[in-house]
Amino acid sequence: MSAGPPPPPPPCLPPTSLLMAPSCPPPPPPASANGPSLSPPLASKISPAGLRGLSNSTTVPCTPLAAVCQAVDRCIKFQPSLSEQVFLCHNHHTQPRLQEGPQCGMVALAIAGGEGVQVDQVQELAIRMGYTKQGEMFNVDDMAYLASTVLGTEALISATAALSDNEWVVEQLTGGWLLLVPYDCAHNHHPAMEGGRKAHWALITGFALAMDASEDISDIETETKNSLVHLVTGIPQKEKISRLITGNNVKLLLLARQSKSLVLGLWDKEELVSSNNNLRMIDCKRELSEFMIPAGGVEAGLCGRMVLVRSGES
């Protein structure tokens, strides 16, 4: 078993806690429908995978450098003020996969596990454990238990407030941890403030330091494209990265995978924290009995917390 991450330093919330017993009771029998149905309740809605003629088991190969370059390009489109910046990136490379139905948490966990972990197998296990009915996941505690079982390693629960500390973020992500974070998903897949009505799961796989071109990074081993994107290679040089994040002209952004897009995201971490902290309700056009909702609702299950996992391929 891998050693857990160090407790978040002040001003973060209390140290990460080990997993607690699941709070959800076993799922009730499925509600009967009016007449026979040959397809799942959500089959009429085209999934992100279906829109592209793919399945949730399909991976779309992308090289590590190409993935972070796509993330930077997309980020600059939404934040033109960053177009003159240089990006130093550290990332645990993952291949994108898309969801079929309300299974964003299942896909995020499968991506963390690597290509040998199949989404449908993760979902079937979650159903047997009583954590989901259709693939939905509204409980951080259940996600942590499921992740520990699927990946065969420890999974820790932490307050998302820890993301506000740059050094903590660098320590965890360069130390082999990935972060499963629930948030509200905007139309461009970035963090939003919808009160929980667009709840979604992301897998944070790395970070990027956006900085002036005048910053000296020549002593850091990287693979580079167009002198704009520099991807750290080899063993992370934490002390050199720490030197940079203490500078006034450096902004730390988070690299994120999520199951509605094939492109890696690059997000403002404070926006992600705020989005996570606003998860307080569910927007459901169907009967709530179709989903596994924890005692206390979405706020008790998701708000203010995330899950730290070790990659199945680390």
Side-chain angles (χ1 to χ4, degrees):
M1 180 176 293
S2 304
C12 300
L13 296 186
T16 56
S17 59
L18 292 175
L19 306 180
M20 304 299 292
S23 57
C24 295
S32 59
N34 294 325
S37 175
L38 300 179
S39 58
L42 298 180
S44 60
K45 184 177 180 180
I46 302 177
S47 70
L51 283 171
R52 295 166 177 83
L54 304 174
S55 72
N56 58 27
S57 63
T58 306
T59 58
V60 181
C62 183
T63 67
L65 183 58
V68 295
C69 286
Q70 289 175 357
V72 169
D73 289 344
R74 181 174 172 82
C75 179
I76 290 175
K77 288 180 181 178
F78 293 108
Q79 299 184 62
S81 61
L82 296 175
S83 61
E84 300 299 321
Q85 301 288 286
V86 168
F87 294 82
L88 177 67
C89 306
H90 169 82
N91 190 47
H92 174 87
H93 184 56
T94 56
Q95 301 292 357
R97 283 191 251 181
L98 301 175
Q99 68 187 72
E100 295 183 271
Q103 56 176 198
C104 54
M106 306 293 111
V107 178
L109 177 52
I111 292 174
E115 295 185 47
V117 178
Q118 298 301 312
V119 176
D120 289 344
Q121 293 175 347
V122 174
Q123 182 166 322
E124 289 170 6
L125 176 61
I127 291 173
R128 292 200 304 271
M129 296 175 77
Y131 294 162
T132 187
K133 294 182 180 180
Q134 301 184 52
E136 77 287 348
M137 179 58 73
F138 292 116
N139 194 321
V140 165
D141 299 283
D142 291 349
M143 175 62 95
Y145 261 129
L146 182 64
S148 179
T149 303
V150 170
L151 303 179
T153 63
E154 62 186 330
L156 306 176
I157 296 172
S158 173
T160 48
L163 293 173
S164 295
D165 187 289
N166 285 347
E167 292 193 8
W168 186 88
V169 171
V170 169
E171 181 68 25
Q172 309 320 313
L173 292 174
T174 58
W177 292 93
L178 306 178
L179 315 177
L180 287 162
V181 186
Y183 74 105
D184 262 335
C185 183
H187 69 281
N188 62 1
H189 312 132
H190 284 220
M193 301 291 287
E194 297 288 344
R197 290 180 289 271
K198 300 295 182 180
H200 193 49
W201 281 90
L203 178 70
I204 306 303
T205 59
F207 60 86
L209 303 182
M211 64 188 77
D212 293 337
S214 59
E215 292 285 348
D216 182 13
I217 58 173
S218 60
D219 58 346
I220 299 177
E221 184 180 351
T222 65
E223 183 180 1
T224 304
K225 180 179 180 181
N226 298 331
S227 300
L228 172 66
V229 178
H230 302 263
L231 178 62
V232 176
T233 57
I235 299 174
Q237 298 157 305
K238 297 180 185 179
E239 69 286 349
K240 296 178 181 179
I241 293 175
S242 295
R243 166 178 57 81
L244 290 170
I245 63 175
T246 58
N248 295 327
N249 298 320
V250 176
K251 182 179 179 65
L252 191 150
L253 304 166
L254 298 175
L255 288 161
R257 280 271 179 228
Q258 51 77 39
S259 56
K260 292 184 178 182
S261 173
L262 295 174
V263 179
L264 194 65
L266 185 57
W267 301 341
D268 184 297
K269 61 189 179 67
E270 296 305 327
E271 291 181 1
L272 180 60
V273 172
S274 296
S275 181
N276 171 264
N277 284 331
N278 103 128
L279 299 177
R280 302 187 182 279
M281 64 185 72
I282 181 173
D283 184 24
C284 183
K285 296 183 174 69
R286 297 170 178 82
E287 293 294 328
L288 290 182
S289 61
E290 293 182 8
F291 300 98
M292 183 64 71
I293 310 296
V298 171
E299 182 173 1
L302 299 178
C303 183
R305 298 188 297 160
M306 61 183 170
V307 181
L308 282 70
V309 298
R310 295 280 189 181
S311 166
E313 296 183 341
S314 60

